[in-house]
Amino acid sequence: MTRIPMMPLFSLVSAVSLFAFTVQAQAQGLSSEMSFKVVEMTEDGTESLVERDTVRPGEMIEYAITHHNGMDADLLGLAVAVPVPAGVTYVPGNETSSLPANFEVQAEMEPEIPGLEWSALPAFRTVIDATGAKRREPLPAEAIEAVRWNLDAALSSGEAALNSYRVVVN
């Protein structure tokens, strides 16, 4: 059994960043909470989300980030970015948003440009082989270090939004 990895809670455009696991945060009227559940298969073959504090290699975790706008005004241009913790691998195709959003992943994509870059999916990276030749290849899921939703719609005053993504335990 493995303990579910600790991770920074989230980063928002407003530069809020916390280092906790299931915690509630507030910044200028925006409160956010991140939680997780383990994805299990039921006997009839459907998925079930279960609260546990341990996981085994190969099991899938779904992270959920809920945001509530406690301000008197709508929030425009909100971006929600969260890391993919060490010890897990992002599972593409399972990300959701309750508001229209552009989804991106962050990884090292260009070896000649140091640092991480954001890209929509499908993402590609440049690889330089032993001869110095460059080639583009699909970005492997294990190279993804963070995910981000750039919300296209406003988070209305008094309303909540939900973003989720899945990882598999290495």
Side-chain angles (χ1 to χ4, degrees), residues 12-53:
L12 299 174
V13 167
S14 60
V16 173
S17 184
L18 296 178
F19 295 92
F21 196 73
T22 302
V23 153
Q24 196 168 58
Q26 285 196 316
Q28 302 172 348
L30 176 70
S31 62
S32 297
E33 182 178 354
M34 185 169 193
S35 60
F36 67 90
K37 292 189 178 174
V38 178
V39 180
E40 292 184 354
M41 296 302 287
T42 63
E43 288 182 20
D44 66 359
T46 59
E47 288 184 351
S48 176
L49 297 176
V50 178
E51 291 186 27
R52 289 192 307 188
D53 63 357

Side-chain angles (χ1 to χ4, degrees), residues 73-160:
D74 295 351
L75 290 172
L76 297 170
L78 190 62
V80 179
V82 291
V84 174
V88 300
T89 300
Y90 168 70
V91 179
N94 291 289
E95 60 283 341
T96 66
S97 180
S98 63
L99 291 175
N102 291 312
F103 182 77
E104 299 176 308
V105 296
Q106 187 181 46
E108 179 111 11
M109 306 224 193
E110 297 293 334
E112 295 174 340
I113 302 172
L116 302 173
E117 300 172 67
W118 290 102
S119 175
L121 293 176
F124 294 86
R125 69 179 180 181
T126 301
V127 176
I128 301 173
D129 67 21
T131 68
K134 294 181 187 178
R135 64 180 164 77
R136 302 243 331 133
E137 69 177 22
L139 181 68
E142 58 272 5
I144 296 171
E145 295 194 27
V147 297
R148 175 172 74 184
W149 296 262
N150 296 306
L151 302 184
D152 292 335
L155 179 54
S156 299
S157 175
E159 297 293 320

